[in-house]
């Protein structure tokens, strides 16, 4: 069986790196995609290929997709772990222009990627976006993040509901804290490892019927590679 060809967009961030490395460790042929060519150089010598590009528009997302085809002659699945850091302040202090920028960098990026890439994936392929638990709660001075993550979840549900055939689409919400490179020193043993997120992404790609979604949740290390428990 030929190894799955996976494009990870946002591969310079902690979660993106974990997905890329976890999938590569599982035997996937991985292309790490991101807008920062210098940071992508960190993948040199790892066996993970790279593609430079961004998701600022549908045409930019298409260009990134095209660049990602070259290393392995195609892509079977995509994982997108893109969100932009933004200010922490109460909602009344945000301007409309600032909020529009939050929308552009945290929600519209996923929208552009889905529009450009989902129709181009093989019929048995997978498009998987990464979301967060703050879709359901608000951290102090971070309501704008909860707004975007809640909207992102509904967007993935909407695309999945409207899709009649072709590649699968899922969103994986990370409910656990993630032990990534920037949090190694403060991480607690029960936090999900960044590479374990990668292993879980692979499990979803390999068995879309078990991980039926469209919205999935990863809540603990014990759940890695397994579907979430059914609620009573």
């Amino acid at each position: 069986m030929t190894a799955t060809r996976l494009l990870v967009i946002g591969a310079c961030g902690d979660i993106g790196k974990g997905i890329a490395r976890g999938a590569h460790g599982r035997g996937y042929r991985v292309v790490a995609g991101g807008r920062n060519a210098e940071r992508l150089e960190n993948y040199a010598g790892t066996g993970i290929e790279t593609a430079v590009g961004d998701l600022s528009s549908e045409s930019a997302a298409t260009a990134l997709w095209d660049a990602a085809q070259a290393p392995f002659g195609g892509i079977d699945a995509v994982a997108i772990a893109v969100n932009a850091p933004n200010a922490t302040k109460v909602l009344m202090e945000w301007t409309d222009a600032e909020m529009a920028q939050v929308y552009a960098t945290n929600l519209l990026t996923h929208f552009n990627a889905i529009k450009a890439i989902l129709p181009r994936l093989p019929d048995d392929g997978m498009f998987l976006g990464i979301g967060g638990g703050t879709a359901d709660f608000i951290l102090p001075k971070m309501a704008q993040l909860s707004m975007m993550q809640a909207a992102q979840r509904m967007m993935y549900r909407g695309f999945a509901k409207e899709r009649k055939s072709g590649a699968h689409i899922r969103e994986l919400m990370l409910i656990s804290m993630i032990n990534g490179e920037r949090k190694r020193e403060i991480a607690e043993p029960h936090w999900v490892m960044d590479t374990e997120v990668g292993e879980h992404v692979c499990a979803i790609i390999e068995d879309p019927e078990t991980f039926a979604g469209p919205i999935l949740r990863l809540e603990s290390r014990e759940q890695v590679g397994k579907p979430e428990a059914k609620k009573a």
Side-chain angles (χ1 to χ4, degrees):
M1 178 176 171
T2 304
T4 299
R5 300 165 296 184
L6 173 66
L7 168 61
V8 181
I9 303 177
C12 293
D14 275 10
I15 293 173
K17 286 179 187 175
I19 294 172
R21 293 170 179 169
H24 184 257
R26 198 177 173 103
Y28 281 46
R29 294 180 288 173
V30 178
V31 179
R35 60 183 179 177
N36 190 313
E38 184 176 348
R39 291 177 66 187
L40 285 173
E41 290 177 1
N42 292 327
Y43 284 103
T46 65
I48 296 173
E49 300 291 338
T50 60
V52 180
D54 63 55
L55 304 175
S56 59
S57 66
E58 190 176 339
S59 60
T62 301
L64 175 54
W65 166 260
D66 290 340
Q69 307 300 299
F72 303 120
I75 293 293
D76 305 305
V78 174
I80 172 171
V82 173
N83 66 327
N86 47 73
T88 55
K89 55 185 179 181
V90 297
L91 285 177
M92 288 295 286
E93 295 178 359
W94 286 86
T95 67
D96 56 351
E98 289 173 332
M99 191 59 74
Q101 182 63 19
V102 174
Y103 167 81
T105 54
N106 288 274
L107 183 65
L108 195 56
T109 46
H110 283 256
F111 179 79
N112 291 334
I114 295 169
K115 286 284 299 295
I117 294 173
L118 184 61
R120 292 177 166 86
L121 282 166
D123 286 349
D124 59 350
M126 173 70 72
F127 187 105
L128 190 146
I130 302 297
T134 55
D136 291 315
F137 61 88
I138 298 174
L139 296 171
K141 298 184 178 182
M142 291 292 285
Q144 83 287 348
L145 179 60
S146 296
M147 291 164 58
M148 295 304 128
Q149 291 192 341
Q152 179 180 309
R153 177 171 59 188
M154 292 308 293
M155 182 179 69
Y156 275 87
R157 281 179 173 157
F159 273 109
K161 186 176 182 64
E162 294 171 354
R163 191 152 181 81
K164 304 305 181 185
S165 62
H168 305 279
I169 181 169
R170 304 283 188 273
E171 182 191 45
L172 174 62
M173 296 178 62
L174 302 179
I175 310 302
S176 167
M177 293 293 290
I178 304 300
N179 182 348
E181 283 188 356
R182 289 178 292 181
K183 295 183 178 178
R184 296 277 191 248
E185 294 184 0
I186 64 168
E188 298 182 19
H190 66 276
W191 290 15
V192 173
M193 291 289 297
D194 49 359
T195 52
E196 290 176 331
V197 177
E199 293 172 23
H200 198 70
V201 165
C202 292
I204 295 168
I205 293 170
E206 292 164 14
D207 191 359
E209 300 305 321
T210 295
F211 295 88
I215 308 301
L216 306 166
R217 296 162 60 93
L218 178 59
E219 303 187 35
S220 69
R221 299 192 72 181
E222 290 72 26
Q223 189 202 330
V224 171
K226 297 176 285 188
E228 61 198 86
K230 300 292 185 183
K231 305 298 183 184

